[in-house]
Amino acid sequence: MVNTITIQEFLTKAKQLPVLDARAPKEYAIGRIPQARSFPIFSDEERATVGTAYKQQGHDPAVLIGLDLFGTKMSGFVREAEKLAPTKEVLVHCWRGGMRSGHMAWLLDFSGFQVYLLQGGYKAYRQYMHEQFERERPVLIISGNTGSGKTDLLSYLQQNGQQVIDLEGLASHKGSAFGSIGMVPQPSTEHFENLLGMALLELDDQKPLWLEDESIGIGRVQMPKSLFNKMQEAPAIVLEVPKTLRIQKLAEEYCRTDPALLEAAILRIKKRLGGLATKEAIEAISVGDMEKMVDIALTYYDKAYTYELVKKQTVLRLPLETLNPEENAQRLVEFAKQHKLIK
């Protein structure tokens, strides 16, 4: 039996049942429901063939071509679905909840599966994700110069009962010219939005959400503008950590990094550093003087941070004498309570 269900019902069931994405592999690669398995009714080439036929010959010839392509693969689809869903209960979607998912649902239903079909398809899911960025919720921003240990605090804030989302973790980028070092490849902006929307769904809208201060672009990924605007308007707590500690922290991290990657990162900010500073930074890398390299880079990043901080509406400063993340997270929570930002 095939039941058409809403996106809310679909995501609830997706916590326990396999999700089959009937779109083409290219569509899946760009963005997907995180729990979904690629289960394409057409390959990328077959989808292009059907699409071309639809444009040039019309609906009916395109449908016949699609059926010819689909028919040869039906038994394979059923066998694969049985592996993925031994209980024979599955969720299915395509782009708009149209012919591709409809045909897949029909086939699996005919083969004895209980099928739940997403009303409106992936398009409805994308709309639902964007709704999460528009929702009103209290937001608190953890700010501070590069090397202040902002990301390190997030897990300890959670241990203190706070709601957090690691934006850089979702974007797989640390937000600077050095941000891709040691990270897996970034998702597309579309899939980043999907991951972020799903994370927001798990939270209580009535409780503050802690986010690390970010630019609208995190590497190649773009923040949803509505959420970014909320972040700009939210109170920002600036972690004021002595520069010497920040240099030591970053130097320790980068001493384990391929020098070629560090040099490439320095060259990406060459115009902002200037020729002489760039040359000195590269020479420092070549002799393993990471503290000098970091000091030179921070001259640029600290100026850029000061410029961006002016745009914040509410700025509170929290001096810190250490980079111990557990201790600093506790101090941050206490500081927020003192300023009545959290209860």
Side-chain angles (χ1 to χ4, degrees), residues 39 71-83 107:
F39 205 79
T72 61
K73 298 186 285 185
M74 289 195 295
S75 62
F77 285 137
V78 174
R79 290 191 183 96
E80 185 62 23
E82 286 174 339
K83 293 178 186 176
L107 172 64

Side-chain angles (χ1 to χ4, degrees), residues 291-311:
E291 290 200 0
K292 182 176 180 180
M293 182 274 291
V294 169
D295 192 12
I296 294 170
L298 287 184
T299 300
Y300 157 65
Y301 281 113
D302 286 359
K303 286 180 181 177
Y305 170 74
T306 301
Y307 175 79
E308 291 297 325
L309 190 61
V310 175
K311 301 176 185 178

